Amino acid sequence: MKFLPLVWCNLKRKKLRTSLTILSILVAFLLFGFLCALKQSLTVGVSMAGADRLIARHKISLIMLLPESYKARMQRIPGVAAAVHQTWFGGIYQDPKNFFASMPVEPAEFRAMFPEFVLPDEQVKAWETKRNGGIVGRVTAERFGWKIGDRIPIRSPIWQRAGGNDGWEFDLVGIFDGAKKGTDLSQFFFRYDYFDEARARGKGQVGWYTVRIENPENAAEIARTIDAEFANSPYETKTEPEGAFAQGFAQQVGDIGKMLIAILSAVFFTILLVAGNTMAQAVRERTEELGVLKAMGFTNELVLALVLAESMVITAAGGLAGLGLAWLVAANGSPAPSILPVFYLPPRDVLIGVGLVGALGLVAGLLPAVQAMRLQIAVALRRQG
Amino acid sequence: MSQSNEILVRVRDADKVFRRGSEEIHVLSGLNLEVPKGEFLALMGPSGSGKSTLLNLIGGLDRATRGTVEIGGERIDSMSDRQLAGWRARHIGLVFQFYNLLPVLTAERNVELPLLLTHLSKGERRQHVEAALKVVNLSHRARHYPRTLSGGEQQRTGIARAIVTDPTLLLCDEPTGDLDRKSGDEILSLLQALNREQGKTIIMVTHDPHASARATRTVHLDKGQLVTEPAP
Ligand SMILES: Nc1ncnc2c1ncn2[C@@H]1O[C@H](COP(=O)(O)OP(=O)(O)OP(=O)(O)O)[C@@H](O)[C@H]1O
Ligand SMILES: [Mg+2]
């Protein structure tokens, strides 16, 4: 478009002001992207949850254990396809800040239950043959530079080995990837048979069960049946859909969505004032020039469009750079892998961001543009004489 | 080139009243003016007599309170704002006392501005710009920004911008008012050449008898009316 150089030259007129405005818009959108990634991180469990999976845990608390023997009893309940258990181990590698989730599991059943963890065939075999073998997600492997074949010393704040030793060692036999984006690739899994034999206490007890049901529509009913099966025992259960389980966790962190919207509203309101003020000044100090353009035959509509275009270019420069930067930061991995194992900027939020950039450019430029449009030539030109 | 008798500009019975709060300022009252095609008309008068106001009416930059303005047979007073803008782009070239160049654009970009409103291609625009700069003898300053040009050079750029679309009518509001005698003379010679050699119709507002002497006719504006015989 032939008018673009004109818009461009006007932006270069007050370089410092333009740069500062662009910079503040950039920071706002960087923050937007970062907060979106944070929200995604805190709620990812909900969206990743399988509709056909239930979680059964101890009725009183997640940290209380259940008997391993429940697995067979759950599997006998009509409508239940499979049940697997996991136990919180709480891995620490070298230093307490190097913390990641780790759980003993039964490899074959576990992999059937969680197809989202993708492991190459030869690594599957290696895990079957090596009793102290463990597999880890790509993110944690890269975080600590682990390679297959490494012997990994891991301490557990909960589980000691027979003989009062809290140092465990595992041979890394596999590194898994996610079948879809958002899969938690921070966890470490090792064999339950090895764990159960080696632990000093609690033998035969596990943390929680994941239950696959044949028909997701029966989820509520089967959950009730499971809880009824173990009612009035020393180990009563509380069973709920995986999604609800994750949601419960997310809500503990507070109503994240609302909080983020409040923060971002304040940020965008501020940035709207900044950008709007820049455009208002730009139009005010250019009154005579706008008058000359109109005198030459530029229509009111064209002048309106030129001012809006200028506003759009400023917000697009800052906004898209901010979103891009946020995307880069997120792609670089989690800033706190122990707390936020999954951290990325969802494409949906990027699209929303781009929409916001457009809206900001439009709204910030609208008032000054209308002012420029209404400007009367004779009045604008008189200002100088 | 000889003047034809065809009337290009016809202002009839024009009133212009400005309202400032409750106060009414009658600037033009029942003004009549006819300018034949090919004339170089000087418009003189005391400060505040309404010279610029009249020029604005003729150029379609402002509207008369009453009366008609007809340019080349078209009644511009009955055009919509949008039509008027298009009409200005096709028919009017404007030259201002303070040049009114865009400081962020080079001389050639300034001259190109009115051409952006045409359907000319980039190459054609370039050709027109080069031709216009040549006419004002400023080809060697094409890439300069206004602040690096002298007043005379800036006004020549302003004239190049005014003629680049080959308009029907050139309106100049005190084109030498901000220049020294020598630069002013250059500008006047340029306008005179445009009038004589290219047959451009020019209306020029001026305070300077030296300038009006270059015109083919001079009219005086006083108390809202035109008086042809100069009051000494
Ligand atoms: N937009 C306006 N609003 C109010 N009054 C105006 C406006 N434009 C012009 N005037 C008044 O109209 C009168 C004529 O103004 P105009 O600019 O046409 O004078 P001029 O003859 O060009 O004067 P000068 O030689 O100083 O340029 C002045 O009194 C001026 O104050
Ligand atoms: Mg004037």
Side-chain angles (χ1 to χ4, degrees), chain A residues 382, chain B residues 18 20 25 27 46-53 174 207:
Chain A
R382 276 186 69 80
Chain B
F18 287 112
R20 216 180 261 153
I25 308 165
V27 179
S47 186
S49 57
K51 304 181 295 295
S52 298
T53 303
E174 303 188 41
H207 282 292

PDB file of all heavy atoms in Angstrom, chain A residues 382, chain B residues 18 20 25 27 46-53 174 207, ligand 1:
ATOM      1  N   ARG A 382      -4.947  27.815   9.824  1.00  0.00           N
ATOM      2  CA  ARG A 382      -4.832  29.128  10.474  1.00  0.00           C
ATOM      3  C   ARG A 382      -3.919  29.112  11.681  1.00  0.00           C
ATOM      4  O   ARG A 382      -3.429  30.141  12.109  1.00  0.00           O
ATOM      5  CB  ARG A 382      -6.211  29.606  10.942  1.00  0.00           C
ATOM      6  CG  ARG A 382      -7.021  30.285   9.886  1.00  0.00           C
ATOM      7  CD  ARG A 382      -8.283  30.836  10.487  1.00  0.00           C
ATOM      8  NE  ARG A 382      -8.013  31.945  11.389  1.00  0.00           N
ATOM      9  CZ  ARG A 382      -7.782  33.187  10.980  1.00  0.00           C
ATOM     10  NH1 ARG A 382      -7.778  33.454   9.707  1.00  0.00           N
ATOM     11  NH2 ARG A 382      -7.561  34.146  11.841  1.00  0.00           N
TER      12      ARG A 382
ATOM     13  N   PHE B  18     -18.072  34.503  10.101  1.00  0.00           N
ATOM     14  CA  PHE B  18     -17.525  33.628  11.148  1.00  0.00           C
ATOM     15  C   PHE B  18     -18.252  33.925  12.439  1.00  0.00           C
ATOM     16  O   PHE B  18     -18.602  35.059  12.716  1.00  0.00           O
ATOM     17  CB  PHE B  18     -16.025  33.873  11.341  1.00  0.00           C
ATOM     18  CG  PHE B  18     -15.189  33.343  10.225  1.00  0.00           C
ATOM     19  CD1 PHE B  18     -14.514  34.194   9.367  1.00  0.00           C
ATOM     20  CD2 PHE B  18     -15.068  31.971  10.026  1.00  0.00           C
ATOM     21  CE1 PHE B  18     -13.727  33.707   8.334  1.00  0.00           C
ATOM     22  CE2 PHE B  18     -14.284  31.475   8.991  1.00  0.00           C
ATOM     23  CZ  PHE B  18     -13.616  32.341   8.145  1.00  0.00           C
ATOM     24  N   ARG B  20     -17.914  33.744  16.442  1.00  0.00           N
ATOM     25  CA  ARG B  20     -17.013  33.498  17.573  1.00  0.00           C
ATOM     26  C   ARG B  20     -17.856  33.723  18.810  1.00  0.00           C
ATOM     27  O   ARG B  20     -18.103  34.855  19.200  1.00  0.00           O
ATOM     28  CB  ARG B  20     -15.827  34.458  17.514  1.00  0.00           C
ATOM     29  CG  ARG B  20     -14.524  33.846  17.985  1.00  0.00           C
ATOM     30  CD  ARG B  20     -13.403  34.859  17.894  1.00  0.00           C
ATOM     31  NE  ARG B  20     -12.597  34.696  16.695  1.00  0.00           N
ATOM     32  CZ  ARG B  20     -11.934  35.707  16.122  1.00  0.00           C
ATOM     33  NH1 ARG B  20     -12.022  36.914  16.597  1.00  0.00           N
ATOM     34  NH2 ARG B  20     -11.181  35.483  15.064  1.00  0.00           N
ATOM     35  N   ILE B  25     -18.677  37.745  12.778  1.00  0.00           N
ATOM     36  CA  ILE B  25     -17.705  38.529  12.020  1.00  0.00           C
ATOM     37  C   ILE B  25     -18.035  38.395  10.545  1.00  0.00           C
ATOM     38  O   ILE B  25     -17.924  37.312   9.970  1.00  0.00           O
ATOM     39  CB  ILE B  25     -16.276  38.020  12.280  1.00  0.00           C
ATOM     40  CG1 ILE B  25     -16.022  37.940  13.791  1.00  0.00           C
ATOM     41  CG2 ILE B  25     -15.258  38.915  11.606  1.00  0.00           C
ATOM     42  CD1 ILE B  25     -14.806  37.137  14.155  1.00  0.00           C
ATOM     43  N   VAL B  27     -16.897  38.767   7.146  1.00  0.00           N
ATOM     44  CA  VAL B  27     -15.624  38.942   6.461  1.00  0.00           C
ATOM     45  C   VAL B  27     -15.838  39.277   4.987  1.00  0.00           C
ATOM     46  O   VAL B  27     -15.245  40.210   4.456  1.00  0.00           O
ATOM     47  CB  VAL B  27     -14.750  37.684   6.621  1.00  0.00           C
ATOM     48  CG1 VAL B  27     -13.435  37.860   5.872  1.00  0.00           C
ATOM     49  CG2 VAL B  27     -14.462  37.423   8.098  1.00  0.00           C
ATOM     50  N   PRO B  46      -5.729  44.889   3.133  1.00  0.00           N
ATOM     51  CA  PRO B  46      -5.168  44.977   4.482  1.00  0.00           C
ATOM     52  C   PRO B  46      -5.256  43.630   5.195  1.00  0.00           C
ATOM     53  O   PRO B  46      -6.049  42.775   4.814  1.00  0.00           O
ATOM     54  CB  PRO B  46      -6.057  46.008   5.182  1.00  0.00           C
ATOM     55  CG  PRO B  46      -6.989  46.529   4.164  1.00  0.00           C
ATOM     56  CD  PRO B  46      -6.921  45.702   2.954  1.00  0.00           C
ATOM     57  N   SER B  47      -4.431  43.531   6.233  1.00  0.00           N
ATOM     58  CA  SER B  47      -4.462  42.316   7.034  1.00  0.00           C
ATOM     59  C   SER B  47      -5.844  42.150   7.664  1.00  0.00           C
ATOM     60  O   SER B  47      -6.433  43.111   8.143  1.00  0.00           O
ATOM     61  CB  SER B  47      -3.389  42.405   8.127  1.00  0.00           C
ATOM     62  OG  SER B  47      -3.327  41.199   8.816  1.00  0.00           O
ATOM     63  N   GLY B  48      -6.355  40.961   7.610  1.00  0.00           N
ATOM     64  CA  GLY B  48      -7.659  40.685   8.198  1.00  0.00           C
ATOM     65  C   GLY B  48      -8.822  41.038   7.295  1.00  0.00           C
ATOM     66  O   GLY B  48      -9.980  40.947   7.691  1.00  0.00           O
ATOM     67  N   SER B  49      -8.519  41.428   6.045  1.00  0.00           N
ATOM     68  CA  SER B  49      -9.602  41.823   5.137  1.00  0.00           C
ATOM     69  C   SER B  49     -10.308  40.617   4.528  1.00  0.00           C
ATOM     70  O   SER B  49     -11.352  40.766   3.898  1.00  0.00           O
ATOM     71  CB  SER B  49      -9.043  42.716   4.026  1.00  0.00           C
ATOM     72  OG  SER B  49      -8.003  42.041   3.338  1.00  0.00           O
ATOM     73  N   GLY B  50      -9.738  39.437   4.661  1.00  0.00           N
ATOM     74  CA  GLY B  50     -10.428  38.234   4.197  1.00  0.00           C
ATOM     75  C   GLY B  50      -9.837  37.622   2.940  1.00  0.00           C
ATOM     76  O   GLY B  50     -10.492  36.836   2.260  1.00  0.00           O
ATOM     77  N   LYS B  51      -8.571  37.944   2.640  1.00  0.00           N
ATOM     78  CA  LYS B  51      -7.927  37.411   1.433  1.00  0.00           C
ATOM     79  C   LYS B  51      -7.810  35.887   1.507  1.00  0.00           C
ATOM     80  O   LYS B  51      -8.193  35.172   0.565  1.00  0.00           O
ATOM     81  CB  LYS B  51      -6.539  38.035   1.261  1.00  0.00           C
ATOM     82  CG  LYS B  51      -6.540  39.548   1.226  1.00  0.00           C
ATOM     83  CD  LYS B  51      -5.157  40.120   1.036  1.00  0.00           C
ATOM     84  CE  LYS B  51      -4.205  39.845   2.194  1.00  0.00           C
ATOM     85  NZ  LYS B  51      -4.594  40.502   3.478  1.00  0.00           N
ATOM     86  N   SER B  52      -7.292  35.424   2.632  1.00  0.00           N
ATOM     87  CA  SER B  52      -7.148  33.975   2.776  1.00  0.00           C
ATOM     88  C   SER B  52      -8.513  33.295   2.759  1.00  0.00           C
ATOM     89  O   SER B  52      -8.680  32.210   2.197  1.00  0.00           O
ATOM     90  CB  SER B  52      -6.426  33.640   4.084  1.00  0.00           C
ATOM     91  OG  SER B  52      -5.132  34.182   4.075  1.00  0.00           O
ATOM     92  N   THR B  53      -9.475  33.970   3.377  1.00  0.00           N
ATOM     93  CA  THR B  53     -10.830  33.414   3.410  1.00  0.00           C
ATOM     94  C   THR B  53     -11.377  33.236   1.996  1.00  0.00           C
ATOM     95  O   THR B  53     -11.930  32.186   1.662  1.00  0.00           O
ATOM     96  CB  THR B  53     -11.742  34.346   4.220  1.00  0.00           C
ATOM     97  OG1 THR B  53     -11.189  34.513   5.524  1.00  0.00           O
ATOM     98  CG2 THR B  53     -13.142  33.776   4.331  1.00  0.00           C
ATOM     99  N   GLU B 174       0.297  34.402  -0.092  1.00  0.00           N
ATOM    100  CA  GLU B 174       1.546  35.076   0.270  1.00  0.00           C
ATOM    101  C   GLU B 174       2.763  34.183   0.063  1.00  0.00           C
ATOM    102  O   GLU B 174       3.509  33.920   1.014  1.00  0.00           O
ATOM    103  CB  GLU B 174       1.486  35.567   1.722  1.00  0.00           C
ATOM    104  CG  GLU B 174       0.298  36.504   1.942  1.00  0.00           C
ATOM    105  CD  GLU B 174       0.325  37.160   3.307  1.00  0.00           C
ATOM    106  OE1 GLU B 174       1.417  37.555   3.737  1.00  0.00           O
ATOM    107  OE2 GLU B 174      -0.748  37.286   3.925  1.00  0.00           O
ATOM    108  N   HIS B 207       0.948  41.062  -0.064  1.00  0.00           N
ATOM    109  CA  HIS B 207       0.947  42.408   0.508  1.00  0.00           C
ATOM    110  C   HIS B 207       1.900  43.311  -0.256  1.00  0.00           C
ATOM    111  O   HIS B 207       1.937  44.509  -0.037  1.00  0.00           O
ATOM    112  CB  HIS B 207       1.447  42.353   1.968  1.00  0.00           C
ATOM    113  CG  HIS B 207       0.427  41.877   2.925  1.00  0.00           C
ATOM    114  ND1 HIS B 207      -0.694  42.590   3.224  1.00  0.00           N
ATOM    115  CD2 HIS B 207       0.339  40.740   3.660  1.00  0.00           C
ATOM    116  CE1 HIS B 207      -1.425  41.938   4.100  1.00  0.00           C
ATOM    117  NE2 HIS B 207      -0.813  40.790   4.372  1.00  0.00           N
TER     118      HIS B 207
HETATM  119  N1  LIG C   1     -12.011  30.161  11.385  1.00  0.00           N
HETATM  120  C1  LIG C   1     -12.205  31.439  11.766  1.00  0.00           C
HETATM  121  N2  LIG C   1     -12.921  31.698  12.868  1.00  0.00           N
HETATM  122  C2  LIG C   1     -13.130  32.957  13.249  1.00  0.00           C
HETATM  123  N3  LIG C   1     -12.671  34.021  12.617  1.00  0.00           N
HETATM  124  C3  LIG C   1     -11.942  33.820  11.513  1.00  0.00           C
HETATM  125  C4  LIG C   1     -11.669  32.508  11.042  1.00  0.00           C
HETATM  126  N4  LIG C   1     -10.940  32.625   9.916  1.00  0.00           N
HETATM  127  C5  LIG C   1     -10.762  33.941   9.716  1.00  0.00           C
HETATM  128  N5  LIG C   1     -11.351  34.652  10.655  1.00  0.00           N
HETATM  129  C6  LIG C   1     -11.396  36.103  10.728  1.00  0.00           C
HETATM  130  O1  LIG C   1     -11.731  36.583   9.454  1.00  0.00           O
HETATM  131  C7  LIG C   1     -10.998  37.724   9.143  1.00  0.00           C
HETATM  132  C8  LIG C   1     -10.271  37.546   7.811  1.00  0.00           C
HETATM  133  O2  LIG C   1      -9.282  36.562   7.966  1.00  0.00           O
HETATM  134  P1  LIG C   1      -8.293  36.195   6.788  1.00  0.00           P
HETATM  135  O3  LIG C   1      -7.347  35.188   7.333  1.00  0.00           O
HETATM  136  O4  LIG C   1      -9.052  35.809   5.596  1.00  0.00           O
HETATM  137  O5  LIG C   1      -7.556  37.556   6.562  1.00  0.00           O
HETATM  138  P2  LIG C   1      -6.370  37.891   5.574  1.00  0.00           P
HETATM  139  O6  LIG C   1      -6.850  38.964   4.676  1.00  0.00           O
HETATM  140  O7  LIG C   1      -5.869  36.670   4.956  1.00  0.00           O
HETATM  141  O8  LIG C   1      -5.313  38.508   6.583  1.00  0.00           O
HETATM  142  P3  LIG C   1      -3.723  38.373   6.566  1.00  0.00           P
HETATM  143  O9  LIG C   1      -3.245  39.355   5.561  1.00  0.00           O
HETATM  144  O10 LIG C   1      -3.321  38.772   7.942  1.00  0.00           O
HETATM  145  O11 LIG C   1      -3.410  36.973   6.216  1.00  0.00           O
HETATM  146  C9  LIG C   1     -10.078  37.985  10.301  1.00  0.00           C
HETATM  147  O12 LIG C   1     -10.643  38.967  11.109  1.00  0.00           O
HETATM  148  C10 LIG C   1     -10.031  36.688  11.044  1.00  0.00           C
HETATM  149  O13 LIG C   1      -9.855  36.906  12.412  1.00  0.00           O
END
